[in-house]
Amino acid sequence: MTPPGPALLRRFRRGAPGRSRLLLAAVLFLAFLATFAIDWAVSPAAQAATSSPSASASSSTGPCTVSTTNGCIRGTILDAERKPAVGVDVDVTGVGGFDQTATTDDSGRWSVSVTTAGQYTVSVDQDTLPKGQYLTNAADADRKVTATLNANVGQIFQLSDQQGATTQADTSSFSFARAWQQFASGIRLGLLIALASIGLSLIYGTTGLSSFSHGEQVTLGGLLAYVFANQLGWNIWVTGIVVTLLCAATGYLQDAAIWRPLRRKRISLTQLMIVTIGLSIAAQYAFQYFFGAATVRIQKGNPETLSFAGITLTVQSYVAMAIALVVLVATGLFLAKTRFGRATRAVSDNPALAAASGIDVDRVIRFVWTLAAGLAGLSGVMLGLVLNGVNWQTGLQLLLLMFASVTLGGLGTAYGALAGSMIIGIVVELTNLVLPGDFKYATALVILILILLFRPQGIFGRAERIG
């Protein structure tokens, strides 16, 4: 038998690894699709059992629908993080001895059907509020509403994590106790943002690409945790590990199927950035299609609270902060002490010089995409637990904070992303002392503009000559 020629051997050596990579990519892609298939199979039944508002024996079990013979009194109760407050009893009394109780569902919504127009009293049972949550306004305990037939009357109740904040004036006044509480919340937010921001900064450092789809990796982590922990009943620790690995696999798959082929075709960074925007939009609507627009909870039970040094946070918050701190320290040590970590920093500093030194740049970039997606997925799990819910826009809402963090710390530097995230988290939460609600997130935009005006290279970045 004639031995194979050198050309055939070279083709075989080039082809075998390629086939292995394609096989691995196919397996990861099937695993990724399987998670959505699981949710598609189980969520309709589960949501049918949990999404409708539960009520007392004197109230209906389904949502109210208006007609010519009845009207609806409905509302939403949100906690201090503007997430749904679940299991809160709302009593409605009024015309003709009417007395009915509704209980908020997983979306924080409740509704009561009335058949007689007139004035009704809506009372929140404060004993059923989640632990550590209080009515923002003392007057909210009993509200007077006027109901009419064939119409809805809506009411929104906002909760606070400060027991003393019983009036609207109290919530806007400054106190050192409240500032201390907000400072702790800022550290919590900064640590969780840092998990995602470090990956975003490393992607920019190694590829020069600003990935606008990175926020959807955070959303994916939270929604997958909802599938495994809430719908399938998995242990939350096992869920966290599995979700992190699955999200990391999606990062590997993205680079193998999208980014590496586009890099080889020498597509410009502007075109690649547009691809990330399109991928972000596609992912958002895929999440909405499979999971709906409502906020879903990773754990079904109401979170326990724990007070320490004048700070009241949920137990999940303390655990999430500890996990985030450990993971961030481990990531920093990996980048600083290991050979592959030093190679990653070398590629981030100068890809051409790193390639000339014998470093496999494509391999490093593949690893960075995998690590970044895994950290973002873990951040999504932690955020879903801390905020007591996650929806299809969770990552999008945090994207501005992540970009502000990496810009403040210095684009392309992992340590800068950590420092920037902590500063952004603390400033955003402290801003809530003077700005109401979600206006605090506008602070990140102000900081971003100021950085670009006065120090565009960031805290740890280096000024570069352009042109």
Side-chain angles (χ1 to χ4, degrees):
M1 179 177 179
T2 303
L8 181 59
L9 286 176
R10 283 196 299 271
R11 286 197 300 269
F12 177 79
R13 293 192 184 103
R14 289 196 302 266
R19 286 193 295 271
S20 299
R21 287 193 294 268
L22 287 175
L23 179 60
L24 178 59
V27 172
L28 293 174
F29 181 71
L30 290 176
F32 178 62
L33 290 180
T35 61
F36 286 108
I38 291 172
D39 179 69
W40 181 258
V42 303
S43 60
Q47 290 174 356
T50 61
S51 62
S52 60
S54 58
S56 65
S58 62
S59 63
S60 60
T61 59
C64 176
T65 303
V66 298
S67 68
T68 55
T69 59
N70 76 285
C72 296
I73 302 175
R74 62 174 75 242
T76 304
I77 301 181
L78 305 175
D79 64 16
E81 299 288 348
R82 301 189 67 82
K83 298 298 180 181
V86 182
V88 179
D89 289 339
V90 180
D91 299 321
V92 180
T93 57
V95 181
F98 183 90
D99 187 355
Q100 198 170 92
T101 301
T103 304
T104 57
D105 62 10
D106 285 346
S107 300
R109 298 187 179 94
W110 58 272
S111 62
V112 169
S113 176
V114 297
T115 56
T116 305
Q119 189 176 70
Y120 293 82
T121 300
V122 179
S123 304
V124 177
D125 186 351
Q126 299 186 58
D127 292 334
T128 62
L129 293 176
K131 290 186 178 180
Q133 299 290 314
Y134 311 94
L135 285 172
T136 300
N137 194 328
D140 281 345
D142 297 289
R143 287 186 181 180
K144 301 292 185 180
V145 300
T146 301
T148 58
L149 301 185
N150 201 26
N152 287 306
V153 178
Q155 298 292 314
I156 296 179
F157 294 90
Q158 178 67 49
L159 305 182
S160 169
D161 54 11
Q162 297 297 311
Q163 187 172 12
T166 56
T167 67
Q168 189 63 33
D170 292 335
T171 60
S172 59
S173 61
F174 176 83
S175 69
F176 287 105
R178 186 164 176 239
W180 181 238
Q181 176 73 35
Q182 293 300 115
F183 180 78
S185 298
I187 294 177
R188 178 185 65 184
L189 178 62
L191 287 171
L192 299 182
I193 292 175
L195 282 176
S197 297
I198 285 180
L200 184 63
S201 185
L202 288 174
I203 290 173
Y204 178 85
T206 54
T207 66
L209 174 64
S210 298
S211 176
F212 283 83
S213 61
H214 198 66
E216 277 55 60
Q217 292 291 151
V218 177
T219 305
L220 177 63
L223 292 177
L224 288 181
Y226 158 74
V227 172
F228 293 125
N230 189 312
Q231 301 295 290
L232 301 182
W234 286 20
N235 176 273
I236 189 61
W237 296 99
V238 175
T239 295
I241 295 172
V242 172
V243 168
T244 302
L245 293 176
L246 281 175
C247 288
T250 63
Y252 180 97
L253 180 61
Q254 280 185 58
D255 187 66
I258 302 175
W259 308 121
R260 187 167 184 264
L262 292 179
R263 286 197 307 271
R264 286 192 165 187
K265 292 181 179 297
R266 300 188 180 277
I267 301 297
S268 70
L269 290 176
T270 301
Q271 292 170 307
L272 291 176
M273 187 173 64
I274 293 173
V275 173
T276 67
I277 295 173
L279 184 60
S280 170
I281 296 172
Q284 288 173 38
Y285 287 103
F287 295 148
Q288 188 180 27
Y289 177 78
F290 285 105
F291 296 94
T295 298
V296 295
R297 304 177 69 199
I298 295 176
Q299 289 187 315
K300 297 180 180 179
N302 290 328
E304 299 288 336
T305 58
L306 180 64
S307 297
F308 175 75
I311 299 169
T312 301
L313 296 173
T314 62
V315 175
Q316 287 92 330
S317 294
Y318 288 111
V319 174
M321 292 166 67
I323 293 175
L325 186 60
V326 170
V327 172
L328 290 171
V329 170
T331 303
L333 291 175
F334 171 81
L335 293 173
K337 302 296 184 181
T338 66
R339 183 178 180 182
F340 204 89
R342 289 192 292 269
T344 301
R345 289 188 291 125
V347 173
S348 179
D349 185 64
N350 193 323
L353 183 59
S357 302
I359 297 176
D360 189 341
V361 175
D362 275 337
R363 184 184 176 197
V364 170
I365 292 176
R366 179 74 53 82
F367 169 78
V368 166
W369 275 102
T370 305
L371 176 66
L375 291 176
L378 178 61
S379 176
V381 177
M382 299 296 101
L383 282 167
L385 292 172
V386 167
L387 302 180
N388 199 27
V390 62
N391 59 44
W392 65 288
Q393 286 187 315
T394 296
L396 178 64
Q397 294 167 350
L398 294 174
L399 189 62
L400 175 61
L401 300 183
M402 289 189 282
F403 273 119
S405 299
V406 298
T407 305
L408 174 61
L411 287 169
T413 61
Y415 304 116
L418 172 59
S421 297
M422 297 305 300
I423 295 173
I424 290 294
I426 293 173
V427 171
V428 164
E429 288 296 338
L430 288 179
T431 303
N432 208 28
L433 294 172
V434 294
L435 291 179
D438 289 340
F439 278 105
K440 62 184 181 181
Y441 294 118
T443 308
L445 178 61
V446 175
I447 294 175
L448 182 60
I449 294 173
L450 292 176
I451 297 166
L452 295 176
L453 285 174
F454 297 104
R455 189 176 173 84
Q457 70 270 29
I459 298 174
F460 292 95
R462 299 190 305 272
E464 297 180 4
R465 182 183 180 90
I466 300 177

